[in-house]
């Protein structure tokens, strides 16, 4: 609000105006308000007009975060490419380190483990060279997840160190993010109960500091653990809260995380028609987002719904899409249901293909591969 009021004091073309515009975009991003995207776009145009590529590159990275969170992943990648092209022409600084870590993050969410490690190492090297604590925290998180995704559980120590360093530095948003990423690794390595503790600690930290932007994200990820623990009433309650909130703000990436786990509960509880209605809603969104951690559970539960409705051909088609369009580790978490559908339909070669591609280094994936 205050930055928006401050903008009223500036005339178009004033030198300081784009800085205030960018800050208005940042506060809107953290509060998940819809004006974040147009404010960043406005700031970028003004920075470029003033010949300030570093500020423009920084704002492009922030804009990519906004678009990605809204589920506009293709646009987010485009903004990141533009930022890197702009920033690499200049002397390396914190703006470039942040851009490198953001690319590492996007590759992490796309399950490109090799690229995640490559870009996080670049970000970490530059951050340590320049003494940038916040970028060191970010890069360690993404490197940690990347290591876990290739079966190197030393990545969990990277994640714990990132959380410790973030707390030591008194960071807000990055401390919440560190809890979210550590929770994912703990879920896969140690179990859902321990992961739930990590995610809830992050939510509590965010709530007490008014960090709205990542609370919905952390809450959506608790559904993974609640599902495994059989806490399905609590899962549905949280999912409904997330869905109502998203309907008020417009569907986003978080919608894609929350809807399939509610559908899993519905179809297993015999409420197939309700699950089918959800599947109709979230399949187009998940395909548009196209990140494996969203697409894999959506395809798996949509296949279960079709099987429950007696549409075996449609169910197999969705399993085939799961096999072709997603990657580990996110696909591995859904392989049990997919294999059962294949077995019921007599498609044992496809079932074997899915099982053969499941890594077994982490406890949850190992259990799923041997059910």
């Amino acid at each position: 609000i205050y930055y928006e009021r401050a903008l009223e004091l500036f005339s178009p073309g004033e030198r300081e105006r784009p800085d205030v515009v960018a800050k208005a975009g940042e506060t809107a991003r953290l509060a998940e308000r819809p004006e974040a995207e147009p404010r960043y776009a406005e700031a970028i145009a003004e920075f470029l007009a003033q010949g300030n590529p570093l500020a423009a590159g920084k704002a492009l990275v922030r804009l990519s975060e906004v678009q990605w969170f809204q589920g506009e992943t293709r646009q987010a990648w485009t903004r990141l490419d533009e930022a890197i092209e702009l920033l690499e022409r200049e002397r390396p600084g914190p703006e470039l380190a942040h851009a490198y870590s953001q690319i590492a993050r996007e590759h992490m969410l796309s399950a490109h483990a090799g690229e995640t490690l490559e870009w996080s190492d670049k970000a970490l090297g530059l951050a340590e060279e320049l003494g940038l604590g916040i970028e060191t925290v970010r890069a360690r998180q993404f490197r940690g997840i990347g290591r876990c995704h290739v079966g190197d559980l030393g990545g969990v120590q990277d994640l714990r160190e990132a959380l410790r360093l973030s707390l030591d530095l008194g960071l807000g948003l990055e401390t919440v993010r560190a809890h979210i990423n550590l929770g994912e690794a703990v879920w896969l390595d140690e179990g859902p109960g321990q992961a739930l503790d990590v995610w809830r600690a992050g939510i509590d930290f965010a709530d007490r500091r008014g960090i709205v932007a990542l609370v919905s994200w952390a809450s959506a990820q608790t559904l993974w653990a609640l599902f495994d623990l059989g806490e399905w009433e609590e899962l549905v309650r949280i999912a409904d809260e997330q869905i109502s909130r998203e309907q008020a703000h417009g569907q986003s990436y978080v919608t894609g995380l929350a809807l399939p786990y509610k559908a899993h509960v519905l179809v297993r509880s015999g409420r197939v028609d309700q699950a089918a209605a959800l599947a109709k809603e979230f399949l187009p969104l998940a395909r548009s987002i196209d990140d494996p951690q969203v697409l894999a559970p959506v395809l798996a539960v949509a296949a279960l719904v079709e099987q429950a409705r007696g549409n075996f051909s449609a169910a197999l088609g969705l399993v085939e899409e799961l096999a072709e369009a997603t990657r580990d580790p996110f696909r591995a978490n859904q392989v049990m249901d997919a294999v059962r559908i294949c077995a019921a339909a007599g498609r044992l070669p496809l079932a074997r293909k899915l099982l053969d591609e499941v890594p077994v280094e982490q406890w949850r994936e190992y259990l799923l591969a041997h059910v």
Side-chain angles (χ1 to χ4, degrees):
I1 293 174
Y2 292 111
Y3 283 121
E4 291 292 338
R5 289 179 181 175
L7 284 175
E8 297 173 4
L9 305 177
F10 289 92
S11 300
E14 286 193 57
R15 189 75 187 173
E16 296 84 0
R17 187 177 187 280
D19 289 306
V20 180
V21 175
K23 284 173 178 156
E26 178 67 2
T27 54
R29 180 179 75 91
L30 294 175
E32 295 186 326
R33 297 201 307 270
E35 59 266 30
E37 185 170 359
R39 281 304 189 201
Y40 276 126
E42 183 182 0
I44 291 162
E46 293 191 20
F47 282 133
L48 290 174
Q50 291 183 359
N52 190 344
L54 291 176
K58 180 179 178 180
L60 276 164
V61 174
R62 294 297 193 195
L63 176 57
S64 78
E65 290 185 68
V66 172
Q67 292 176 329
W68 178 85
F69 200 83
Q70 293 173 170
E72 301 168 359
T73 49
R74 291 179 180 84
Q75 295 95 316
W77 274 109
T78 299
R79 300 292 86 76
L80 272 179
D81 289 340
E82 292 171 355
I84 291 293
E85 182 180 356
L86 199 61
L87 292 170
E88 285 189 334
R89 297 175 191 160
E90 307 299 317
R91 184 175 179 178
E95 298 87 359
L96 184 59
H98 183 68
Y100 284 165
S101 68
Q102 191 68 12
I103 289 185
R105 174 179 176 271
E106 303 303 333
H107 280 300
M108 174 192 79
L109 294 166
S110 299
H112 297 140
E115 291 87 347
T116 301
L117 293 171
E118 175 189 351
W119 286 98
S120 60
D121 281 342
K122 288 178 71 171
L124 185 59
L126 185 54
E128 291 180 340
E129 177 186 339
L130 299 174
L132 305 171
I134 187 170
E135 296 306 334
T136 298
V137 167
R138 286 171 55 84
R140 278 193 179 276
Q141 289 183 64
F142 307 142
R143 186 177 72 174
I145 291 289
R147 291 175 69 188
C148 291
H149 283 182
V150 297
D152 176 5
L153 296 185
V156 178
Q157 296 309 310
D158 267 334
L159 290 160
R160 293 193 187 281
E161 175 61 17
L163 177 55
R164 184 199 65 78
L165 181 58
S166 188
L167 287 166
D168 286 349
L169 292 171
L171 303 178
L173 191 68
E174 289 309 321
T175 297
V176 183
R177 198 192 309 273
H179 279 94
I180 291 171
N181 287 323
L182 176 60
E184 179 186 333
V186 168
W187 175 55
L188 294 173
D189 180 40
E190 299 176 21
Q194 295 91 327
L196 196 57
D197 289 341
V198 175
W199 282 322
R200 282 175 171 168
I203 292 167
D204 179 65
F205 181 95
D207 279 339
R208 285 187 284 112
R209 290 159 179 82
I211 304 172
V212 177
L214 291 178
V215 170
S216 58
W217 185 278
S219 296
Q221 287 197 193
T222 66
L223 302 183
W224 306 351
L226 291 169
F227 181 81
D228 287 349
L229 292 167
E231 301 288 344
W232 288 3
E233 288 186 8
E234 178 72 358
L235 185 159
V236 170
R237 183 188 68 77
I238 294 174
D240 284 342
E241 286 179 357
Q242 293 298 314
I243 292 165
S244 296
R245 186 174 177 282
E246 292 292 300
Q247 287 173 343
H249 290 81
Q251 285 188 328
S252 75
Y253 201 105
V254 174
T255 310
L257 292 175
L259 285 174
Y261 282 89
K262 179 180 178 181
H264 269 293
V265 171
L266 292 174
V267 74
R268 284 174 165 81
S269 303
R271 290 172 283 179
V272 178
D273 288 343
Q274 293 178 51
L278 280 184
K280 183 178 180 181
E281 179 179 354
F282 60 54
L283 258 175
L285 174 65
R287 285 169 172 151
S288 174
I289 292 172
D290 199 31
D291 272 354
Q293 74 169 342
V294 171
L295 189 57
V298 165
L299 290 172
V301 74
L304 280 176
V305 169
E306 293 300 338
Q307 182 188 44
R309 299 174 79 187
N311 299 330
F312 298 105
S313 176
L316 276 173
L318 289 161
V319 171
E320 290 169 349
E321 185 179 352
L322 174 72
E324 294 299 322
T326 66
R327 292 173 293 279
D328 288 327
F330 303 111
R331 185 175 68 191
N333 295 329
Q334 315 301 324
V335 77
M336 177 173 62
D337 292 326
V339 166
R340 285 173 172 165
I341 290 169
C342 292
R347 291 286 301 276
L348 297 184
L350 179 56
R352 175 55 58 189
K353 177 179 184 293
L354 288 166
L355 285 175
D356 286 346
E357 293 177 356
V358 172
V360 295
E361 291 87 353
Q362 295 171 320
W363 81 270
R364 189 175 192 275
E365 295 170 1
Y366 185 90
L367 289 176
L368 293 181
H370 291 78
V371 169

